[in-house]
Amino acid sequence: MTVRIIGGNLRDLSYIAANLRPEDHAEVDCQLDDWTPATLALTAMQGFAYVAELDGNPEAAFGAGELRSGLWIAWSWGTVRMRRCVPRITEFFYAVLGPDVAARGAWRVEARALAGNDLAVRWLSRLGATERCHLTGYGRNGEDFILFDWTRETWANVSLSKTA
């Protein structure tokens, strides 16, 4: 089983978006009106976008984009085989994505997770994100989310040993 991280492209991002895990589909669906795999892929390409390939097949998409000067949002979604890619994505997050976002002057990076998406909530905590608040009724159908973030100060406290 080989996991390779490549730059996100419209074809791979669209494929992943069309084959989302049920948890990721629910999370996207309650935040975006009338989205399609193509529009989700195009939105993802508005910043740093990466694809994790598992044995040559695109299985996970992740990245970060700047919302406004210094404020970024991190995101990820994938197919049912995404779990097998998470260790490699985590390594890439620490080695490449985090430092690249910091080099662009980010003072805060936010990530939202559907409160019932246990995998996402655990992974964000493991990535060293700080749970900031519960967003009650944030989704368009009243779904609850949890807001996580990293700041310049908290990023300095994130240890690579958390990936082990």
Side-chain angles (χ1 to χ4, degrees):
M1 178 178 75
T2 304
V3 177
R4 184 173 75 124
I5 305 297
I6 62 171
N9 60 62
L10 188 57
R11 184 197 70 198
D12 290 346
L13 292 166
S14 294
Y15 171 82
I16 297 163
N19 294 283
L20 291 177
R21 303 175 313 131
E23 305 93 325
D24 291 339
H25 193 281
E27 200 166 276
V28 171
D29 197 44
C30 70
Q31 294 182 81
L32 300 176
D33 292 326
D34 301 321
W35 68 276
T36 67
T39 59
L40 185 59
L42 285 169
T43 301
M45 293 179 71
Q46 301 304 309
F48 294 114
Y50 297 97
V51 167
E53 291 182 335
L54 179 62
D55 297 329
N57 297 311
E59 301 293 349
F62 65 99
E66 189 170 26
L67 295 175
R68 64 175 193 266
S69 182
L71 176 61
W72 288 66
I73 188 161
W75 55 271
S76 69
W77 25 267
T79 71
V80 294
R81 292 174 23 128
M82 178 181 180
R83 280 180 180 235
R84 296 179 185 166
C85 303
V86 167
R88 179 68 185 102
I89 295 170
T90 300
E91 291 172 5
F92 191 87
F93 172 84
Y94 286 113
V96 178
L97 183 57
D100 283 351
V101 169
R104 292 278 182 101
W107 53 268
R108 179 183 171 111
V109 179
E110 295 182 345
R112 292 182 305 269
L114 193 58
N117 189 342
D118 294 334
L119 179 62
V121 169
R122 284 192 321 266
W123 190 28
L124 286 165
S125 294
R126 192 166 180 224
L127 285 171
T130 301
E131 184 176 322
R132 290 295 174 189
C133 64
H134 288 255
L135 302 170
T136 304
Y138 180 84
R140 74 178 169 163
N141 299 312
E143 297 87 352
D144 295 340
F145 277 75
I146 300 173
L147 177 67
F148 291 85
D149 75 2
W150 299 266
T151 64
R152 287 182 186 156
E153 295 77 23
T154 61
W155 180 258
N157 297 325
V158 173
S159 167
L160 289 178
S161 66
K162 289 186 179 188
T163 65

